[in-house]
Amino acid sequence: MSHTENNTAAIYARVSSTTDRQNTERQVIDLTAYANRNSLNLVKIYEEHISGAKRNAERPVLMDCIEYCKGNHVGTLLVSELSRLGRNTFEVLATVRDLVDCHINVYFQKEQMNLLDGNGKPSLFTPILIATLSTCAEMERENIQYRLNSGRRVYIEKGGQLGRKKGSVKSHEQKEEQYKDVLAYLGKGYKIADIAKLTGTSTSTVQRLKREFQIR
């Protein structure tokens, strides 16, 4: 089925407030109107009230939405803006790449942009977007590394010692709690690379957890 023939669509709407101060109504109305104008068959609407600081793995509605789109071959995911797909550049980039790899188009209302064209191929803006996000992610990595190195220098200059304190190795139960999202995906049979993308965890950590918890 070509992208042109697959006119199914889903909406993902999110606001940061968990109170009545904000709601997803406007996002849903605007994106539904877009779907109607473009003859898209709206099959599912996902609405989530959760902090923008949460990792994607801690956003159950977003995770359900992405998996639904993959499992049901949804043609287009409609969102109000890029920031809905991640708390930072790293997560947005990973999510965008994941969806493009699965041949799922994403329409961003604020940016007025589609990831795929009518033939299911990356649009003119997609390589530019991914390159821009990759550059921003690299800059973020460098800034984080700079701050870490600077913090270490100050700490050492003040007499601090690096390395784990005795008895600081995490217990099996602590790892189970910290990496519960990774373990859940492993239990469902997800690929290690996909789990790393969805949870923001390194592939080596995912592999280590798989061995340690003996998940097949």
Side-chain angles (χ1 to χ4, degrees):
M1 180 184 289
S2 72
H3 182 65
T4 305
E5 295 169 333
N6 187 355
N7 69 337
T8 57
I11 287 175
Y12 173 71
R14 179 184 66 80
V15 290
S16 298
S17 175
T18 57
T19 67
D20 293 334
R21 186 168 56 86
Q22 291 179 316
N23 63 63
T24 56
E25 182 179 6
R26 175 47 54 190
Q27 293 179 43
V28 172
I29 290 173
D30 290 346
L31 293 170
T32 299
Y34 174 86
N36 292 335
R37 287 196 305 272
N38 290 273
S39 301
L40 295 174
N41 178 26
L42 195 56
V43 294
K44 201 83 169 176
I45 296 175
Y46 290 87
E47 300 176 68
E48 189 161 40
H49 292 70
I50 197 166
S51 169
K54 294 285 187 181
R55 294 185 303 159
N56 281 3
E58 298 173 308
R59 300 178 184 182
V61 178
L62 175 60
M63 293 293 93
D64 288 347
C65 175
I66 291 173
E67 290 312 308
Y68 177 86
C69 289
K70 290 180 180 179
N72 293 275
H73 306 291
V74 171
T76 303
L77 175 61
L78 308 174
V79 295
S80 62
E81 57 184 277
L82 266 167
S83 65
R84 302 300 92 180
L85 294 185
R87 64 173 179 170
N88 56 34
T89 307
F90 299 108
E91 288 199 321
V92 174
L93 176 60
T95 305
V96 164
R97 281 180 167 166
D98 186 31
L99 292 167
V100 169
D101 288 345
C102 293
H103 308 290
I104 297 172
N105 179 38
V106 184
Y107 168 72
F108 301 102
Q109 181 189 14
K110 180 180 177 181
E111 290 79 10
Q112 292 290 294
M113 179 175 61
N114 284 281
L115 289 185
L116 304 181
D117 61 22
N119 296 312
K121 304 294 183 183
S123 70
L124 174 65
F125 297 104
T126 303
I128 299 172
L129 172 66
I130 290 177
T132 302
L133 288 176
S134 297
T135 301
C136 291
E138 183 62 32
M139 291 174 64
E140 281 191 42
R141 277 192 289 268
E142 290 178 358
N143 288 335
I144 290 170
Q145 191 61 50
Y146 174 80
R147 289 195 294 269
L148 286 173
N149 290 338
S150 177
R152 288 192 188 101
R153 282 198 305 272
V154 172
Y155 178 69
I156 292 171
E157 287 170 1
K158 291 183 177 180
Q161 294 184 344
L162 297 178
R164 287 183 176 177
K165 295 180 181 179
K166 188 176 180 179
S168 65
V169 177
K170 291 179 180 175
S171 67
H172 191 81
E173 290 75 18
Q174 287 173 321
K175 290 179 183 177
E176 191 172 22
E177 174 61 26
Q178 180 179 354
Y179 296 106
K180 59 185 177 182
D181 48 347
V182 174
L183 296 173
Y185 284 127
L186 282 170
K188 292 179 181 178
Y190 281 57
K191 294 180 180 178
I192 287 175
D194 290 339
I195 296 172
K197 285 182 182 179
L198 290 169
T199 62
T201 307
S202 69
T203 53
S204 60
T205 298
V206 178
Q207 290 171 333
R208 175 171 53 78
L209 289 167
K210 184 176 182 179
R211 289 194 302 270
E212 185 174 334
F213 286 83
Q214 299 180 350
I215 300 174
R216 299 187 182 279

